[in-house]
């Protein structure tokens, strides 16, 4: 007998006990169970792996550390662990309630941890194969990543680890790290450190045509950084009126500025030097520097800078006592400001001119200039400035009207008093009240 | 001349049928029907001579006197004060067992450590309950003993119970977790599941760093075990890097110890206290020798590493008191250190060799 043939024949022999709908439900239930069993057997993706469980259960710090270790990057782990410990110590040492305490701890900032993990592991991989450039590059990237003010200490750590290495510390990325480090120290205010690093950087970048990541030549960037540092360093001696020290530093800065091929900072360097010489009383040298300033602003086509140079020059000439030249200078300043629409400078120029005429007792002309200044200030809408102009104008007008009689007022002799009363009654003083 | 036979406790036969109904006495080691009774304490039972002797050597000699008060129920022991006292006594017992077991394990006597570890476990379950965090050290001890004997199935069982205990109590400290993960890692290395082993060792190192510090010798142990796994996987650069880290840490540690030893050498009383634990000595020696072999078999001879490791071994044996070995390793170290570019190990090594020679001439004044 054929077994395969008998099968279908036995089916309809027996009566159908279960209704059709029941049968269908039952079969689907069974087939569903079968499906689940199949998926359990084959689809291990439906069961969560141990790694995923630990991602849920453990802290982000633990997850990152364990991942680093598992892949064999134990030195990255040590560095990361050390940095997290350092962050903890810093926050513990800070006073309660201070800004430092209120920041989120580093071990809870997942994106920063991830970035550190990525770059540190790449650096360690490169270190094992001996490609020092890549190592320095990765660390430089990390230094940039932490450029926020509260993370500057982290940034400095990475820059240092880039530049203080045994091998590769004279490569391009390391030199760039050095200049970034100098800038970071400047931001923090540690000027001595900044100076050391910047000077080293200038030496390193000397004969190279290395370019930083923005495309700027490193030796120029280093010089600019050094100029900025010298400028800041000169602040302290200036306040203490130690002009020699300040001038020394500013000169060094000015040399750096000229070498950095950036006209803007060259102008600033010359300007500061001129101002310092002015405060020190050496007006001739100051004037030389201001002339240089004027030239540079000419090449730069910067009217604002030109205006500033003229003003400073005028002050110098005035301190020498040469009124005529001062007036010329100030007239030029007024012209420039007018042509270039620099209203603020124009007001300044007018007020200065007025002052000069006032001091030389030419009160009418002084008054004129003050009034002009007042009008411009009105246009500008600067209330403080226009009030100042008003006061000065009124002062000048008053002086212009009574200068004849000021001597009489002072002497207070009977004849003088009679003359004063006559003048009062004549009504010519009406001008005063206008 | 015959050596005096060692007395391994005295037993007396007992008849199981003579016991009151419902009070079956079970063998201490195998929990089967017992036919022998210890005559000293009278509360410990064994199924045969073999088990009795194993237990005596393992732990019973130490705790025989202490068992009697715990195992005989009295009216007092059923009251509250009595119960507290019993608990304290049990805790003491657990501690003694643990120490005995640990010392036997460090000497490498795994079979002998079994009774102590088993008793420790049973007592802990009694005192604390089956899956509490205080149980974990007992589980780990027994697991280690079995690992030495090769019963990996039993080890897996014990460690999973320990893991469950740790999972149930999330507030247990980092030290417990680090030891658990280390044992798990070793189990996985032995069974060949290298990925799981790496994961566990990574956890172990993380917790050890949290608990002790990044450069403590405990964390180093974890690095060493991990390097072993990487060697098995064939990732030699990683293993080399890990070994150099271990060598570095141990070098610092041993240099410090040597310094204090030399300083205290002036004061002979202090010398006795600073003696290095014999068992730990053997363990560290093993580890350093493995590393030295690895370096010497390596194609690219890293002289710095060889010099470091050999120097560590020399210092270790000097502190351990074996001058010959110290001299041997010292000379290897000196040879290797001449090949390093900046020679900064040569001086310390020469200093050490000098010390060893001085010590030798002190102890054998006539042989110079």
């Amino acid at each position: 007998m054929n077994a395969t043939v008998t099968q279908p024949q036995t089916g309809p022999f027996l009566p159908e006990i279960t209704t059709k709908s029941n049968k269908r439900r039952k079969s689907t239930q069974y087939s569903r169970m079968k499906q689940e069993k199949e998926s359990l057997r084959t689809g291990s993706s439906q069961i969560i792996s141990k790694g995923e469980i630990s991602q849920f259960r453990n802290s982000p710090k633990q997850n990152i550390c364990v991942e680093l270790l598992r892949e064999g990057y134990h030195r990255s782990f040590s560095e990361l662990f050390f940095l997290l410990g350092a962050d903890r110590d810093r926050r513990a040492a800070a006073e309660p309630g201070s800004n430092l305490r209120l920041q989120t701890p580093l071990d809870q900032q997942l994106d920063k941890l991830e970035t550190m993990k990525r770059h540190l592991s790449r650096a360690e991989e490169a270190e094992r194969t001996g490609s020092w450039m890549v190592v320095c590059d990765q660390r430089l990237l990390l230094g940039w990543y932490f450029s926020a003010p509260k993370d500057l200490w982290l940034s400095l750590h990475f820059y240092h680890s880039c530049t203080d290495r045994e091998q590769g510390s004279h490569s391009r990325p390391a030199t760039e790290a050095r200049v970034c480090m100098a800038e970071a120290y400047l931001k923090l205010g540690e000027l001595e450190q900044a100076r050391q690093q910047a000077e080293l950087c200038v030496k390193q970048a000397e004969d190279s045509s290395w370019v930083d990541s923005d495309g700027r030549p490193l030796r120029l960037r280093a010089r600019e950084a050094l100029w900025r540092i010298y400028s800041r360093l000169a602040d302290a001696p200036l306040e203490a009126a130690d002009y020699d020290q300040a001038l020394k530093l500013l000169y060094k800065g000015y040399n750096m500025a000229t070498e950095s091929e950036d006209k803007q900072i060259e102008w600033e360097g010359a300007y500061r030097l001129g101002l310092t010489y002015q405060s020190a009383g050496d007006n001739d040298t100051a004037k030389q520097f201001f002339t240089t300033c004027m030239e540079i602003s000419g090449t730069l086509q910067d009217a604002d800078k030109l205006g500033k140079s003229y003003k400073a020059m005028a002050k110098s000439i005035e301190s020498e006592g040469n009124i005529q030249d001062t007036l010329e200078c100030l007239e030029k300043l007024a012209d420039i400001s007018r042509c270039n629409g620099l209203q603020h400078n124009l007001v300044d120029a007018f007020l200065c001119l007025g002052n000069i005429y006032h001091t030389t007792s030419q009160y009418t002309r002084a008054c004129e200039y003050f009034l002009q200044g007042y009008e411009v200030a009105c246009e500008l809408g600067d209330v403080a400035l226009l009030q100042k102009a008003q006061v000065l104008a009124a002062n000048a007008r008053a002086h212009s009207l009574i200068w004849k009689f000021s001597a009489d007022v002072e002497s207070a002799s009977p004849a003088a008093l009679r003359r004063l009363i006559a003048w009062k009654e004549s009504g010519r003083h009406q001008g005063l009240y206008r | 001349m015959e050596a005096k036979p060692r007395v391994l406790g005295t037993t007396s036969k007992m008849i199981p049928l003579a016991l009151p109904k419902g009070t079956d006495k079970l063998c201490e080691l195998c929990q089967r029907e017992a036919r022998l009774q210890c005559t000293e304490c009278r509360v410990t039972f064994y199924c045969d001579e073999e088990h009795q002797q194993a237990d005596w050597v393992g732990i019973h000699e130490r705790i025989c006197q202490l068992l009697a008060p715990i195992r005989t129920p009295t009216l007092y022991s059923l009251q509250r004060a009595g119960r507290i006292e019993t608990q304290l006594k049990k805790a003491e017992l657990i501690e003694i067992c643990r120490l005995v077991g640990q010392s036997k394990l460090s000497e490498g006597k795994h079979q002998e450590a079994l009774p102590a570890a088993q008793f420790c476990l049973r007592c802990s379950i009694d005192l604390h309950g089956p899956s509490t965090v205080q149980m974990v050290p007992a589980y780990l001890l027994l697991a280690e003993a079995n690992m030495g004997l090769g019963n990996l199935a039993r080890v897996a069982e014990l460690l999973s119970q320990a893991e469950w205990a740790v999972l149930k109590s999330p507030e247990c400290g980092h030290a417990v977790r680090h030891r658990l993960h280390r044992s798990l890692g070793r189990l996985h290395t032995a069974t060949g599941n290298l990925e799981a082993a790496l994961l566990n060792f990574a956890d172990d190192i993380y917790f050890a760093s949290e608990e002790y510090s990044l450069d403590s010798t405990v964390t180093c142990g974890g690095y060493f075990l991990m390097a072993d796994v990487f060697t098995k996987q064939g990732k030699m650069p990683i293993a080399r890097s890990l070994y150099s880290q271990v060598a570095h840490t141990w070098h610092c540690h041993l240099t410090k110890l040597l310094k204090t030893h030399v300083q205290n050498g002036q004061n002979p009383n202090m010398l006795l206290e600073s003696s290095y634990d014999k068992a730990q000595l053997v363990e560290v020696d093993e580890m350093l020798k493995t590393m030295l072999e690895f370096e010497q078999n390596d194609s690219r001879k890293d002289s710095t590493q060889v010099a470091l490791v050999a120097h560590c071994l020399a210092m270790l044996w000097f502190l351990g008191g074996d001058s010959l070995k110290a001299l041997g390793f010292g000379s290897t170290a000196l040879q290797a250190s001449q090949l390093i570019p900046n020679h900064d190990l040569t001086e310390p090594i020469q200093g050490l060799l000098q010390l060893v020679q001085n010590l030798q001439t002190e102890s054998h004044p006539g042989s110079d």
Side-chain angles (χ1 to χ4, degrees):
Chain A
M1 262 222 261
N2 209 347
T4 50
V5 179
T6 51
Q7 276 291 359
Q9 281 182 356
T10 50
F13 226 72
L14 299 163
E16 291 261 353
I17 304 173
T18 55
T19 57
K20 248 196 172 164
S21 53
N22 265 2
K23 196 173 174 191
R24 213 181 294 132
R25 239 186 287 140
K26 215 177 169 187
S27 66
T28 48
Q29 205 177 40
Y30 179 61
S31 59
R32 232 185 293 133
M33 253 178 24
K34 232 178 143 179
Q35 253 180 5
E36 273 180 30
K37 273 205 187 140
E38 291 265 341
S39 65
L40 271 176
R41 238 186 299 138
T42 57
S44 58
S45 54
Q46 292 193 354
I47 305 178
I48 313 176
S49 71
K50 206 158 182 186
E52 287 167 6
I53 297 175
S54 60
Q55 293 275 338
F56 278 117
R57 196 179 277 148
N58 300 332
S59 65
K61 174 183 177 189
Q62 187 177 350
N63 283 329
I64 301 241
C65 288
V66 167
E67 253 188 72
L68 273 173
L69 280 167
R70 220 160 43 99
E71 294 165 8
Y73 299 122
H74 66 105
R75 289 190 202 275
S76 309
F77 160 73
S78 305
E79 195 168 346
L80 184 65
F81 199 81
F82 169 75
L83 282 172
L84 290 173
D87 178 64
R88 216 187 3 236
D89 292 335
R90 276 177 87 232
R91 306 179 77 253
E95 284 149 21
S98 71
N99 276 346
L100 199 53
R101 273 280 175 104
L102 295 170
Q103 290 167 16
T104 18
L106 190 57
D107 52 17
Q108 288 173 10
Q109 298 181 41
L110 193 58
D111 51 345
K112 290 192 185 159
L113 290 176
E114 289 270 334
T115 320
M116 277 201 276
K117 168 181 162 225
R118 211 176 331 139
H119 291 289
L120 280 174
S121 48
R122 278 190 213 151
E124 190 169 344
E125 188 67 50
E127 181 121 25
R128 274 193 221 136
T129 56
S131 27
W132 315 121
M133 285 278 286
V134 180
V135 178
C136 289
D137 242 336
Q138 294 295 324
R139 286 182 179 277
L140 183 62
L141 283 168
L142 274 171
W144 282 342
Y145 181 78
F146 289 108
S147 52
K150 60 185 165 121
D151 291 330
L152 267 180
W153 67 279
L154 263 176
S155 177
L156 279 170
H157 166 91
F158 285 117
Y159 286 139
H160 266 290
S161 69
C162 186
T163 55
D164 295 341
R165 299 166 46 77
E166 282 176 17
Q167 292 115 328
S169 64
H170 289 273
S171 59
R172 187 208 70 85
T175 320
E176 191 174 346
R178 221 179 262 284
V179 84
C180 294
M181 196 166 23
E183 288 166 2
Y185 272 126
L186 187 60
K187 259 189 246 171
L188 275 178
E190 293 187 30
L191 298 172
E192 265 314 310
Q193 285 271 22
R195 174 163 59 174
Q196 267 179 19
Q197 296 301 333
E199 283 174 355
L200 266 170
C201 183
V202 166
K203 231 184 289 176
Q204 268 182 11
E206 197 49 62
D207 302 313
S208 68
S209 56
W210 282 329
V211 165
D212 74 5
S213 324
D214 298 322
R216 221 166 126 209
L218 272 177
R219 53 192 171 82
L220 301 181
R221 183 166 164 196
R223 286 182 164 78
E224 187 198 330
L226 198 51
W227 169 76
R228 237 187 275 278
I229 295 167
Y230 280 132
S231 263
R232 277 278 287 276
L233 274 172
D235 281 342
L238 271 178
E239 278 194 28
D242 179 4
Y243 292 116
D244 287 328
Q245 184 66 5
L247 282 171
K248 240 189 286 177
L249 288 164
L250 285 174
Y251 254 119
K252 279 201 216 162
Y254 181 60
N255 286 336
M256 283 295 134
T258 28
E259 286 172 23
S260 79
E261 299 175 16
D262 184 350
K263 288 283 170 193
Q264 302 264 11
I265 60 178
E266 211 182 315
W267 181 88
E268 276 193 49
Y271 188 65
R272 268 202 95 180
L273 264 172
L275 283 178
T276 318
Y277 272 114
Q278 213 176 58
S279 334
D282 183 358
N283 283 306
D284 285 325
T285 339
K287 278 200 288 196
Q288 281 175 15
F289 275 109
F290 291 137
T291 338
T292 330
C293 281
M294 285 187 230
E295 286 165 14
I296 300 177
S297 358
T299 29
L300 280 176
Q301 303 281 339
D302 188 343
D304 189 33
K305 290 199 157 69
L306 193 57
K308 279 202 193 126
S309 327
Y310 268 111
K311 184 155 175 227
M313 179 71 111
K315 186 147 177 248
S316 257
I317 304 175
E318 189 189 346
S319 354
E320 281 185 338
N322 191 340
I323 301 296
Q324 202 49 40
D325 282 346
T326 322
L327 288 172
E328 269 178 42
C329 201
L330 285 172
E331 296 270 339
K332 262 192 245 162
L333 175 61
D335 280 334
I336 296 167
S337 318
R338 212 190 324 239
C339 300
N340 285 296
L342 294 167
Q343 306 290 67
H344 213 97
N345 283 3
L346 192 55
V347 176
D348 261 341
F350 283 139
L351 291 181
C352 287
L353 276 165
N355 266 325
I356 305 250
Y357 282 120
H358 193 101
T359 40
T360 53
S361 308
Q362 297 178 41
Y363 296 116
T364 19
R365 296 210 69 186
C367 190
E368 273 172 36
Y369 277 113
F370 283 139
L371 279 175
Q372 281 184 3
Y374 167 72
E375 278 162 19
V376 180
C378 287
E379 277 175 48
L380 208 55
D382 186 345
V383 177
L385 204 54
L386 71 88
Q387 281 180 342
K388 184 171 167 191
Q390 261 183 324
V391 166
L392 287 170
N395 194 15
R397 174 67 74 75
H399 269 108
S400 73
L401 284 171
I402 67 167
W403 69 272
K404 282 190 273 184
F405 298 99
S406 53
D408 283 345
V409 170
E410 277 177 26
S411 65
S413 66
L417 284 172
R418 251 181 262 128
R419 278 203 293 272
L420 275 174
I421 297 172
W423 175 64
K424 182 174 167 229
E425 293 191 344
S426 71
R428 238 175 279 148
H429 64 279
Q430 293 296 334
L432 264 176
Y433 295 113
R434 222 175 295 141
Chain B
M1 201 163 35
E2 269 182 41
K4 207 166 127 188
R6 193 159 151 225
V7 175
L8 292 171
T10 44
T11 53
S12 60
K13 279 214 173 69
M14 55 165 250
I15 307 168
L17 280 175
L19 295 167
K21 198 170 181 183
T23 57
D24 289 325
K25 298 296 181 190
L26 302 171
C27 172
E28 191 72 21
L29 290 187
C30 60
Q31 305 289 308
R32 284 200 294 251
E33 197 190 21
R35 275 186 273 275
L36 294 170
Q37 181 187 30
C38 174
T39 40
E40 309 273 333
C41 57
R42 303 181 69 79
V43 292
T44 325
F45 302 90
Y46 302 100
C47 59
D48 57 18
E49 272 293 318
E50 208 184 297
H51 280 195
Q52 186 265 328
Q53 283 176 13
D55 196 33
W56 180 261
V57 168
I59 185 76
H60 199 70
E61 189 176 356
R62 293 284 299 275
I63 62 172
C64 192
Q65 318 301 330
L66 305 166
L67 280 176
I70 295 182
R71 288 188 174 172
T72 39
T74 60
L75 186 59
Y76 178 64
S77 71
L78 290 171
Q79 290 168 348
R80 186 148 177 269
R83 270 207 299 272
I84 298 175
E85 226 182 271
T86 319
Q87 278 179 349
L88 285 170
K89 287 201 188 127
K90 280 192 183 165
E92 245 181 73
L93 259 182
I94 295 175
E95 193 52 36
I96 297 174
C97 290
R98 205 177 59 79
L99 286 168
V100 168
Q102 198 71 52
S103 67
K104 287 214 196 270
L105 278 178
S106 354
E107 289 168 25
K109 301 179 186 164
H110 297 278
Q111 186 69 35
E112 279 182 34
L114 270 183
Q118 274 170 342
F119 184 74
C120 182
L121 187 66
R122 230 180 297 142
C123 221
S124 301
I125 296 183
D126 243 354
L127 189 57
H128 299 294
S131 299
T132 51
V133 83
Q134 291 95 332
M135 288 292 302
V136 177
Y139 278 126
L140 291 176
L141 186 65
L142 191 53
E144 209 179 317
N146 276 305
M147 192 129 56
L149 293 170
N151 306 338
L152 294 178
R154 181 91 178 103
V155 176
E157 212 184 294
L158 289 162
L159 285 180
S160 68
Q161 282 189 311
E163 210 178 338
W164 174 235
V166 166
L167 278 175
K168 282 212 311 182
S169 38
E171 75 282 351
C172 74
H174 296 304
V176 173
R177 282 184 208 267
H178 118 74
R179 286 176 57 202
L180 172 67
H181 281 289
R182 192 165 287 193
S183 302
L184 276 169
R186 286 170 62 201
L187 170 66
H188 286 300
T189 323
T191 51
N193 187 352
L194 296 177
E195 279 306 318
L198 277 180
L199 185 59
N200 277 305
F201 283 135
D203 275 315
D204 158 28
I205 294 171
Y206 173 73
F207 285 120
S209 307
E210 286 271 14
E211 178 70 22
Y212 304 103
S213 88
L214 261 182
D215 46 4
S216 90
T217 45
V218 182
T219 327
C220 249
Y223 281 132
F224 177 72
L225 291 163
M226 209 174 189
D228 196 35
V229 178
F230 277 120
T231 324
K232 287 199 169 76
Q233 281 187 333
K235 299 185 183 164
M236 293 310 169
I238 307 181
R240 218 176 289 132
S241 160
L242 280 164
Y243 279 146
S244 79
Q245 172 82 17
V246 173
H248 198 78
T249 313
W250 268 106
H251 192 254
C252 293
H253 183 72
L254 283 168
T255 319
K256 247 184 277 173
L257 272 178
L258 190 68
K259 216 160 125 189
T260 42
H261 182 96
V262 165
Q263 281 171 351
N264 297 337
Q266 326 296 337
N267 190 353
N269 296 338
M270 301 274 275
L271 256 177
L272 296 168
E273 286 171 20
S274 71
S275 65
Y276 216 75
D277 189 351
K278 264 286 181 300
Q280 269 189 307
L281 199 88
V282 172
E283 221 179 290
V284 180
D285 176 57
E286 279 286 327
M287 180 174 82
L288 289 171
K289 275 206 203 116
T290 324
M291 282 174 28
L292 192 61
E293 245 182 76
F294 179 82
E295 276 306 317
Q296 285 170 337
N297 295 343
D298 195 13
S299 49
R300 33 177 247 186
K301 298 241 180 251
D302 188 2
S303 307
T304 328
Q305 182 72 351
V306 173
L308 264 178
V309 178
H311 190 198
C312 285
L313 276 163
M315 280 195 281
L316 187 71
W317 283 112
F318 174 67
L319 288 167
D322 189 337
S323 311
L324 270 161
K325 283 198 195 167
L327 271 177
F329 286 120
S331 50
T332 325
L334 197 61
Q335 271 177 11
S337 71
Q338 314 285 14
L339 303 168
I340 309 176
N342 49 5
H343 288 283
D344 60 353
L345 276 179
T346 325
E347 233 182 81
I349 299 177
Q350 279 170 340
L352 177 67
L353 283 171
Q354 192 66 39
L355 270 174
V356 177
Q357 279 162 352
N358 289 349
L359 203 65
Q360 272 193 328
T361 49
E362 265 175 44
S363 50
H364 312 288
S367 70
D368 196 8

